[in-house]
Amino acid sequence: RAELQGGSGRSKQEAPAKRRTVAPQLPSVYTSAPLGTTSSSHSPAPAPLVKDKDEKPLTAEEKARQEAAEAFLKKDPRKGVVRYTFTQDGPLGLRFSKDVPPWILAVADGSPAAKKAPRVPLAGIVTAVNGHQITEKDCQHVMQGLKRRPVVLDIDWPVDQDLPVVNRA
């Protein structure tokens, strides 16, 4: 074998070692809400949504969607769905899939989602955010609701886990 100059120890015939590439880390989708003070995470009913000061007036279509969402939240969730309400500022501690509707891929230990009783389930499917059903058409718009507090998530319980006895957390 002939040595390369510089004494690297590899011969000319030897192919360079393949480097294993590490998959890039997905961006954190724990929500980008700023960290703030903590409040009680166990409220029996969702608090009314607070409008931002710089929020534009709603169009007729947006008003109709908002009214439908409020009516949806007044009804009890269907069987197999648990409605989680988060009032605490900061990240929820959830990582979602890119599917529509999204699956819960991870729940960070010590996060508000992990502290709920029942704990937010892995492989649960988020069917609604703040009363808005997640559809192909408006998935991105609905998921932006995760940045505001309070946020209400309807999560379809995974079939491989026993159903909890409560439907709100």
PDB file of all heavy atoms in Angstrom, residues 78 96-105 123-129 132-140 142-143 154-156:
ATOM      1  N   ARG A  78     -67.069  14.037  23.276  1.00  0.00           N
ATOM      2  CA  ARG A  78     -67.647  12.715  23.000  1.00  0.00           C
ATOM      3  C   ARG A  78     -66.831  11.644  23.722  1.00  0.00           C
ATOM      4  O   ARG A  78     -65.735  11.907  24.207  1.00  0.00           O
ATOM      5  CB  ARG A  78     -67.712  12.458  21.505  1.00  0.00           C
ATOM      6  CG  ARG A  78     -66.381  12.353  20.822  1.00  0.00           C
ATOM      7  CD  ARG A  78     -66.542  12.038  19.338  1.00  0.00           C
ATOM      8  NE  ARG A  78     -65.286  12.120  18.636  1.00  0.00           N
ATOM      9  CZ  ARG A  78     -64.343  11.190  18.660  1.00  0.00           C
ATOM     10  NH1 ARG A  78     -64.515  10.099  19.363  1.00  0.00           N
ATOM     11  NH2 ARG A  78     -63.211  11.349  18.001  1.00  0.00           N
ATOM     12  N   PHE A  96     -45.812  17.456  18.297  1.00  0.00           N
ATOM     13  CA  PHE A  96     -46.855  16.943  17.421  1.00  0.00           C
ATOM     14  C   PHE A  96     -46.274  16.403  16.119  1.00  0.00           C
ATOM     15  O   PHE A  96     -45.237  16.857  15.662  1.00  0.00           O
ATOM     16  CB  PHE A  96     -47.856  18.049  17.072  1.00  0.00           C
ATOM     17  CG  PHE A  96     -48.511  18.661  18.263  1.00  0.00           C
ATOM     18  CD1 PHE A  96     -48.083  19.880  18.755  1.00  0.00           C
ATOM     19  CD2 PHE A  96     -49.554  18.025  18.909  1.00  0.00           C
ATOM     20  CE1 PHE A  96     -48.675  20.450  19.861  1.00  0.00           C
ATOM     21  CE2 PHE A  96     -50.161  18.592  20.010  1.00  0.00           C
ATOM     22  CZ  PHE A  96     -49.716  19.804  20.494  1.00  0.00           C
ATOM     23  N   SER A  97     -47.008  15.465  15.514  1.00  0.00           N
ATOM     24  CA  SER A  97     -46.636  14.982  14.185  1.00  0.00           C
ATOM     25  C   SER A  97     -47.108  16.013  13.163  1.00  0.00           C
ATOM     26  O   SER A  97     -47.827  16.943  13.496  1.00  0.00           O
ATOM     27  CB  SER A  97     -47.303  13.634  13.901  1.00  0.00           C
ATOM     28  OG  SER A  97     -48.695  13.812  13.721  1.00  0.00           O
ATOM     29  N   LYS A  98     -46.722  15.807  11.922  1.00  0.00           N
ATOM     30  CA  LYS A  98     -47.154  16.717  10.861  1.00  0.00           C
ATOM     31  C   LYS A  98     -48.436  16.222  10.205  1.00  0.00           C
ATOM     32  O   LYS A  98     -48.883  16.800   9.221  1.00  0.00           O
ATOM     33  CB  LYS A  98     -46.046  16.867   9.826  1.00  0.00           C
ATOM     34  CG  LYS A  98     -44.838  17.561  10.403  1.00  0.00           C
ATOM     35  CD  LYS A  98     -43.780  17.785   9.363  1.00  0.00           C
ATOM     36  CE  LYS A  98     -42.532  18.315   9.998  1.00  0.00           C
ATOM     37  NZ  LYS A  98     -42.323  19.705   9.821  1.00  0.00           N
ATOM     38  N   ASP A  99     -49.025  15.161  10.738  1.00  0.00           N
ATOM     39  CA  ASP A  99     -50.276  14.634  10.193  1.00  0.00           C
ATOM     40  C   ASP A  99     -51.413  15.598  10.467  1.00  0.00           C
ATOM     41  O   ASP A  99     -51.322  16.470  11.319  1.00  0.00           O
ATOM     42  CB  ASP A  99     -50.609  13.281  10.840  1.00  0.00           C
ATOM     43  CG  ASP A  99     -49.546  12.240  10.588  1.00  0.00           C
ATOM     44  OD1 ASP A  99     -49.036  12.194   9.457  1.00  0.00           O
ATOM     45  OD2 ASP A  99     -49.228  11.479  11.518  1.00  0.00           O
ATOM     46  N   VAL A 100     -52.505  15.419   9.742  1.00  0.00           N
ATOM     47  CA  VAL A 100     -53.722  16.183  10.005  1.00  0.00           C
ATOM     48  C   VAL A 100     -54.824  15.181  10.250  1.00  0.00           C
ATOM     49  O   VAL A 100     -55.142  14.403   9.366  1.00  0.00           O
ATOM     50  CB  VAL A 100     -54.088  17.091   8.812  1.00  0.00           C
ATOM     51  CG1 VAL A 100     -55.389  17.807   9.053  1.00  0.00           C
ATOM     52  CG2 VAL A 100     -52.968  18.075   8.548  1.00  0.00           C
ATOM     53  N   PRO A 101     -55.393  15.156  11.421  1.00  0.00           N
ATOM     54  CA  PRO A 101     -55.046  15.883  12.635  1.00  0.00           C
ATOM     55  C   PRO A 101     -53.761  15.328  13.247  1.00  0.00           C
ATOM     56  O   PRO A 101     -53.431  14.156  13.041  1.00  0.00           O
ATOM     57  CB  PRO A 101     -56.240  15.649  13.553  1.00  0.00           C
ATOM     58  CG  PRO A 101     -56.853  14.385  13.092  1.00  0.00           C
ATOM     59  CD  PRO A 101     -56.566  14.290  11.621  1.00  0.00           C
ATOM     60  N   PRO A 102     -53.029  16.167  13.982  1.00  0.00           N
ATOM     61  CA  PRO A 102     -51.724  15.754  14.496  1.00  0.00           C
ATOM     62  C   PRO A 102     -51.802  14.757  15.649  1.00  0.00           C
ATOM     63  O   PRO A 102     -52.714  14.804  16.468  1.00  0.00           O
ATOM     64  CB  PRO A 102     -51.096  17.066  14.961  1.00  0.00           C
ATOM     65  CG  PRO A 102     -52.244  17.951  15.238  1.00  0.00           C
ATOM     66  CD  PRO A 102     -53.331  17.551  14.303  1.00  0.00           C
ATOM     67  N   TRP A 103     -50.813  13.873  15.697  1.00  0.00           N
ATOM     68  CA  TRP A 103     -50.639  12.924  16.792  1.00  0.00           C
ATOM     69  C   TRP A 103     -49.685  13.530  17.795  1.00  0.00           C
ATOM     70  O   TRP A 103     -48.833  14.343  17.440  1.00  0.00           O
ATOM     71  CB  TRP A 103     -50.025  11.627  16.285  1.00  0.00           C
ATOM     72  CG  TRP A 103     -50.888  10.827  15.378  1.00  0.00           C
ATOM     73  CD1 TRP A 103     -51.372  11.200  14.165  1.00  0.00           C
ATOM     74  CD2 TRP A 103     -51.354   9.514  15.605  1.00  0.00           C
ATOM     75  NE1 TRP A 103     -52.108  10.201  13.628  1.00  0.00           N
ATOM     76  CE2 TRP A 103     -52.120   9.145  14.480  1.00  0.00           C
ATOM     77  CE3 TRP A 103     -51.198   8.613  16.636  1.00  0.00           C
ATOM     78  CZ2 TRP A 103     -52.726   7.919  14.377  1.00  0.00           C
ATOM     79  CZ3 TRP A 103     -51.802   7.369  16.530  1.00  0.00           C
ATOM     80  CH2 TRP A 103     -52.562   7.034  15.423  1.00  0.00           C
ATOM     81  N   ILE A 104     -49.772  13.102  19.040  1.00  0.00           N
ATOM     82  CA  ILE A 104     -48.828  13.541  20.064  1.00  0.00           C
ATOM     83  C   ILE A 104     -47.670  12.561  20.055  1.00  0.00           C
ATOM     84  O   ILE A 104     -47.845  11.370  20.317  1.00  0.00           O
ATOM     85  CB  ILE A 104     -49.497  13.616  21.440  1.00  0.00           C
ATOM     86  CG1 ILE A 104     -50.594  14.659  21.406  1.00  0.00           C
ATOM     87  CG2 ILE A 104     -48.464  13.931  22.518  1.00  0.00           C
ATOM     88  CD1 ILE A 104     -51.465  14.687  22.629  1.00  0.00           C
ATOM     89  N   LEU A 105     -46.485  13.068  19.723  1.00  0.00           N
ATOM     90  CA  LEU A 105     -45.299  12.232  19.619  1.00  0.00           C
ATOM     91  C   LEU A 105     -44.514  12.174  20.918  1.00  0.00           C
ATOM     92  O   LEU A 105     -43.859  11.176  21.196  1.00  0.00           O
ATOM     93  CB  LEU A 105     -44.385  12.758  18.509  1.00  0.00           C
ATOM     94  CG  LEU A 105     -44.973  12.784  17.110  1.00  0.00           C
ATOM     95  CD1 LEU A 105     -43.985  13.410  16.140  1.00  0.00           C
ATOM     96  CD2 LEU A 105     -45.360  11.390  16.666  1.00  0.00           C
ATOM     97  N   ALA A 123     -49.367   9.242  21.514  1.00  0.00           N
ATOM     98  CA  ALA A 123     -50.172   8.673  20.422  1.00  0.00           C
ATOM     99  C   ALA A 123     -51.619   9.127  20.455  1.00  0.00           C
ATOM    100  O   ALA A 123     -52.431   8.619  19.700  1.00  0.00           O
ATOM    101  CB  ALA A 123     -50.089   7.154  20.388  1.00  0.00           C
ATOM    102  N   GLY A 124     -51.941  10.102  21.306  1.00  0.00           N
ATOM    103  CA  GLY A 124     -53.273  10.692  21.263  1.00  0.00           C
ATOM    104  C   GLY A 124     -53.374  11.579  20.038  1.00  0.00           C
ATOM    105  O   GLY A 124     -52.382  12.079  19.525  1.00  0.00           O
ATOM    106  N   ILE A 125     -54.581  11.773  19.547  1.00  0.00           N
ATOM    107  CA  ILE A 125     -54.792  12.588  18.348  1.00  0.00           C
ATOM    108  C   ILE A 125     -55.504  13.870  18.762  1.00  0.00           C
ATOM    109  O   ILE A 125     -56.573  13.822  19.370  1.00  0.00           O
ATOM    110  CB  ILE A 125     -55.631  11.828  17.303  1.00  0.00           C
ATOM    111  CG1 ILE A 125     -54.925  10.536  16.918  1.00  0.00           C
ATOM    112  CG2 ILE A 125     -55.878  12.702  16.085  1.00  0.00           C
ATOM    113  CD1 ILE A 125     -55.756   9.618  16.050  1.00  0.00           C
ATOM    114  N   VAL A 126     -54.916  15.010  18.435  1.00  0.00           N
ATOM    115  CA  VAL A 126     -55.517  16.303  18.757  1.00  0.00           C
ATOM    116  C   VAL A 126     -56.593  16.572  17.710  1.00  0.00           C
ATOM    117  O   VAL A 126     -56.289  16.769  16.532  1.00  0.00           O
ATOM    118  CB  VAL A 126     -54.464  17.435  18.755  1.00  0.00           C
ATOM    119  CG1 VAL A 126     -55.111  18.758  19.097  1.00  0.00           C
ATOM    120  CG2 VAL A 126     -53.345  17.114  19.729  1.00  0.00           C
ATOM    121  N   THR A 127     -57.840  16.553  18.135  1.00  0.00           N
ATOM    122  CA  THR A 127     -58.940  16.736  17.185  1.00  0.00           C
ATOM    123  C   THR A 127     -59.431  18.170  17.118  1.00  0.00           C
ATOM    124  O   THR A 127     -60.012  18.574  16.112  1.00  0.00           O
ATOM    125  CB  THR A 127     -60.120  15.813  17.546  1.00  0.00           C
ATOM    126  OG1 THR A 127     -60.532  16.090  18.887  1.00  0.00           O
ATOM    127  CG2 THR A 127     -59.728  14.355  17.417  1.00  0.00           C
ATOM    128  N   ALA A 128     -59.207  18.961  18.185  1.00  0.00           N
ATOM    129  CA  ALA A 128     -59.672  20.353  18.181  1.00  0.00           C
ATOM    130  C   ALA A 128     -58.780  21.192  19.090  1.00  0.00           C
ATOM    131  O   ALA A 128     -58.254  20.698  20.086  1.00  0.00           O
ATOM    132  CB  ALA A 128     -61.117  20.433  18.651  1.00  0.00           C
ATOM    133  N   VAL A 129     -58.615  22.455  18.719  1.00  0.00           N
ATOM    134  CA  VAL A 129     -57.874  23.428  19.521  1.00  0.00           C
ATOM    135  C   VAL A 129     -58.799  24.624  19.727  1.00  0.00           C
ATOM    136  O   VAL A 129     -59.296  25.203  18.759  1.00  0.00           O
ATOM    137  CB  VAL A 129     -56.578  23.876  18.819  1.00  0.00           C
ATOM    138  CG1 VAL A 129     -55.879  24.967  19.616  1.00  0.00           C
ATOM    139  CG2 VAL A 129     -55.651  22.702  18.603  1.00  0.00           C
ATOM    140  N   HIS A 132     -62.028  24.686  17.787  1.00  0.00           N
ATOM    141  CA  HIS A 132     -61.963  24.632  16.326  1.00  0.00           C
ATOM    142  C   HIS A 132     -61.481  23.251  15.905  1.00  0.00           C
ATOM    143  O   HIS A 132     -60.379  22.834  16.271  1.00  0.00           O
ATOM    144  CB  HIS A 132     -61.004  25.693  15.780  1.00  0.00           C
ATOM    145  CG  HIS A 132     -61.403  27.097  16.096  1.00  0.00           C
ATOM    146  ND1 HIS A 132     -62.372  27.766  15.387  1.00  0.00           N
ATOM    147  CD2 HIS A 132     -60.968  27.948  17.046  1.00  0.00           C
ATOM    148  CE1 HIS A 132     -62.506  28.979  15.897  1.00  0.00           C
ATOM    149  NE2 HIS A 132     -61.680  29.109  16.913  1.00  0.00           N
ATOM    150  N   GLN A 133     -62.306  22.543  15.129  1.00  0.00           N
ATOM    151  CA  GLN A 133     -61.921  21.228  14.631  1.00  0.00           C
ATOM    152  C   GLN A 133     -60.734  21.369  13.688  1.00  0.00           C
ATOM    153  O   GLN A 133     -60.661  22.330  12.923  1.00  0.00           O
ATOM    154  CB  GLN A 133     -63.088  20.575  13.876  1.00  0.00           C
ATOM    155  CG  GLN A 133     -64.276  20.281  14.740  1.00  0.00           C
ATOM    156  CD  GLN A 133     -64.083  19.043  15.599  1.00  0.00           C
ATOM    157  OE1 GLN A 133     -63.111  18.319  15.478  1.00  0.00           O
ATOM    158  NE2 GLN A 133     -65.032  18.806  16.477  1.00  0.00           N
ATOM    159  N   ILE A 134     -59.800  20.427  13.737  1.00  0.00           N
ATOM    160  CA  ILE A 134     -58.621  20.474  12.878  1.00  0.00           C
ATOM    161  C   ILE A 134     -58.948  19.751  11.576  1.00  0.00           C
ATOM    162  O   ILE A 134     -59.282  18.573  11.583  1.00  0.00           O
ATOM    163  CB  ILE A 134     -57.407  19.835  13.567  1.00  0.00           C
ATOM    164  CG1 ILE A 134     -57.073  20.616  14.840  1.00  0.00           C
ATOM    165  CG2 ILE A 134     -56.213  19.802  12.626  1.00  0.00           C
ATOM    166  CD1 ILE A 134     -55.968  20.014  15.659  1.00  0.00           C
ATOM    167  N   THR A 135     -58.862  20.487  10.471  1.00  0.00           N
ATOM    168  CA  THR A 135     -59.103  19.922   9.141  1.00  0.00           C
ATOM    169  C   THR A 135     -57.915  20.254   8.254  1.00  0.00           C
ATOM    170  O   THR A 135     -57.080  21.092   8.588  1.00  0.00           O
ATOM    171  CB  THR A 135     -60.381  20.512   8.513  1.00  0.00           C
ATOM    172  OG1 THR A 135     -60.209  21.928   8.376  1.00  0.00           O
ATOM    173  CG2 THR A 135     -61.606  20.225   9.361  1.00  0.00           C
ATOM    174  N   GLU A 136     -57.848  19.599   7.096  1.00  0.00           N
ATOM    175  CA  GLU A 136     -56.769  19.859   6.140  1.00  0.00           C
ATOM    176  C   GLU A 136     -56.728  21.336   5.761  1.00  0.00           C
ATOM    177  O   GLU A 136     -55.665  21.926   5.626  1.00  0.00           O
ATOM    178  CB  GLU A 136     -56.981  19.032   4.861  1.00  0.00           C
ATOM    179  CG  GLU A 136     -56.809  17.558   5.034  1.00  0.00           C
ATOM    180  CD  GLU A 136     -55.372  17.097   4.908  1.00  0.00           C
ATOM    181  OE1 GLU A 136     -54.539  17.874   4.423  1.00  0.00           O
ATOM    182  OE2 GLU A 136     -55.093  15.962   5.306  1.00  0.00           O
ATOM    183  N   LYS A 137     -57.907  21.920   5.591  1.00  0.00           N
ATOM    184  CA  LYS A 137     -58.014  23.292   5.087  1.00  0.00           C
ATOM    185  C   LYS A 137     -57.414  24.322   6.037  1.00  0.00           C
ATOM    186  O   LYS A 137     -56.717  25.235   5.613  1.00  0.00           O
ATOM    187  CB  LYS A 137     -59.489  23.597   4.828  1.00  0.00           C
ATOM    188  CG  LYS A 137     -59.764  24.977   4.290  1.00  0.00           C
ATOM    189  CD  LYS A 137     -61.231  25.153   3.970  1.00  0.00           C
ATOM    190  CE  LYS A 137     -61.926  25.696   5.183  1.00  0.00           C
ATOM    191  NZ  LYS A 137     -63.308  26.080   4.960  1.00  0.00           N
ATOM    192  N   ASP A 138     -57.678  24.181   7.323  1.00  0.00           N
ATOM    193  CA  ASP A 138     -57.263  25.229   8.262  1.00  0.00           C
ATOM    194  C   ASP A 138     -56.411  24.711   9.410  1.00  0.00           C
ATOM    195  O   ASP A 138     -56.396  25.294  10.482  1.00  0.00           O
ATOM    196  CB  ASP A 138     -58.483  25.967   8.796  1.00  0.00           C
ATOM    197  CG  ASP A 138     -59.471  25.056   9.491  1.00  0.00           C
ATOM    198  OD1 ASP A 138     -59.229  23.838   9.502  1.00  0.00           O
ATOM    199  OD2 ASP A 138     -60.467  25.551  10.019  1.00  0.00           O
ATOM    200  N   CYS A 139     -55.663  23.658   9.165  1.00  0.00           N
ATOM    201  CA  CYS A 139     -54.838  23.063  10.228  1.00  0.00           C
ATOM    202  C   CYS A 139     -53.832  24.065  10.777  1.00  0.00           C
ATOM    203  O   CYS A 139     -53.706  24.222  11.991  1.00  0.00           O
ATOM    204  CB  CYS A 139     -54.125  21.827   9.711  1.00  0.00           C
ATOM    205  SG  CYS A 139     -53.050  21.063  10.925  1.00  0.00           S
ATOM    206  N   GLN A 140     -53.089  24.751   9.913  1.00  0.00           N
ATOM    207  CA  GLN A 140     -52.062  25.680  10.371  1.00  0.00           C
ATOM    208  C   GLN A 140     -52.671  26.825  11.166  1.00  0.00           C
ATOM    209  O   GLN A 140     -52.142  27.229  12.188  1.00  0.00           O
ATOM    210  CB  GLN A 140     -51.260  26.233   9.178  1.00  0.00           C
ATOM    211  CG  GLN A 140     -50.394  25.195   8.509  1.00  0.00           C
ATOM    212  CD  GLN A 140     -49.372  24.610   9.466  1.00  0.00           C
ATOM    213  OE1 GLN A 140     -48.761  25.309  10.249  1.00  0.00           O
ATOM    214  NE2 GLN A 140     -49.208  23.296   9.411  1.00  0.00           N
ATOM    215  N   VAL A 142     -55.514  26.799  12.872  1.00  0.00           N
ATOM    216  CA  VAL A 142     -56.005  26.282  14.150  1.00  0.00           C
ATOM    217  C   VAL A 142     -54.844  26.018  15.104  1.00  0.00           C
ATOM    218  O   VAL A 142     -54.916  26.352  16.291  1.00  0.00           O
ATOM    219  CB  VAL A 142     -56.849  25.000  13.933  1.00  0.00           C
ATOM    220  CG1 VAL A 142     -57.161  24.326  15.241  1.00  0.00           C
ATOM    221  CG2 VAL A 142     -58.137  25.334  13.191  1.00  0.00           C
ATOM    222  N   MET A 143     -53.754  25.468  14.599  1.00  0.00           N
ATOM    223  CA  MET A 143     -52.609  25.155  15.456  1.00  0.00           C
ATOM    224  C   MET A 143     -51.933  26.419  15.998  1.00  0.00           C
ATOM    225  O   MET A 143     -51.235  26.360  16.997  1.00  0.00           O
ATOM    226  CB  MET A 143     -51.599  24.282  14.706  1.00  0.00           C
ATOM    227  CG  MET A 143     -52.123  22.890  14.381  1.00  0.00           C
ATOM    228  SD  MET A 143     -52.627  21.924  15.809  1.00  0.00           S
ATOM    229  CE  MET A 143     -51.060  21.319  16.370  1.00  0.00           C
ATOM    230  N   ASP A 154     -58.755  19.151  22.571  1.00  0.00           N
ATOM    231  CA  ASP A 154     -59.536  17.922  22.610  1.00  0.00           C
ATOM    232  C   ASP A 154     -58.646  16.829  22.044  1.00  0.00           C
ATOM    233  O   ASP A 154     -58.204  16.913  20.897  1.00  0.00           O
ATOM    234  CB  ASP A 154     -60.808  18.046  21.776  1.00  0.00           C
ATOM    235  CG  ASP A 154     -61.906  18.768  22.516  1.00  0.00           C
ATOM    236  OD1 ASP A 154     -61.616  19.411  23.537  1.00  0.00           O
ATOM    237  OD2 ASP A 154     -63.060  18.703  22.063  1.00  0.00           O
ATOM    238  N   ILE A 155     -58.374  15.812  22.870  1.00  0.00           N
ATOM    239  CA  ILE A 155     -57.459  14.744  22.467  1.00  0.00           C
ATOM    240  C   ILE A 155     -58.200  13.421  22.458  1.00  0.00           C
ATOM    241  O   ILE A 155     -58.768  13.007  23.470  1.00  0.00           O
ATOM    242  CB  ILE A 155     -56.235  14.693  23.402  1.00  0.00           C
ATOM    243  CG1 ILE A 155     -55.491  16.031  23.302  1.00  0.00           C
ATOM    244  CG2 ILE A 155     -55.339  13.517  23.058  1.00  0.00           C
ATOM    245  CD1 ILE A 155     -54.303  16.157  24.197  1.00  0.00           C
ATOM    246  N   ASP A 156     -58.189  12.789  21.282  1.00  0.00           N
ATOM    247  CA  ASP A 156     -58.792  11.470  21.106  1.00  0.00           C
ATOM    248  C   ASP A 156     -57.859  10.458  21.755  1.00  0.00           C
ATOM    249  O   ASP A 156     -56.687  10.358  21.392  1.00  0.00           O
ATOM    250  CB  ASP A 156     -58.957  11.188  19.615  1.00  0.00           C
ATOM    251  CG  ASP A 156     -59.974  10.110  19.327  1.00  0.00           C
ATOM    252  OD1 ASP A 156     -60.554   9.564  20.288  1.00  0.00           O
ATOM    253  OD2 ASP A 156     -60.194   9.822  18.140  1.00  0.00           O
TER     254      ASP A 156
END
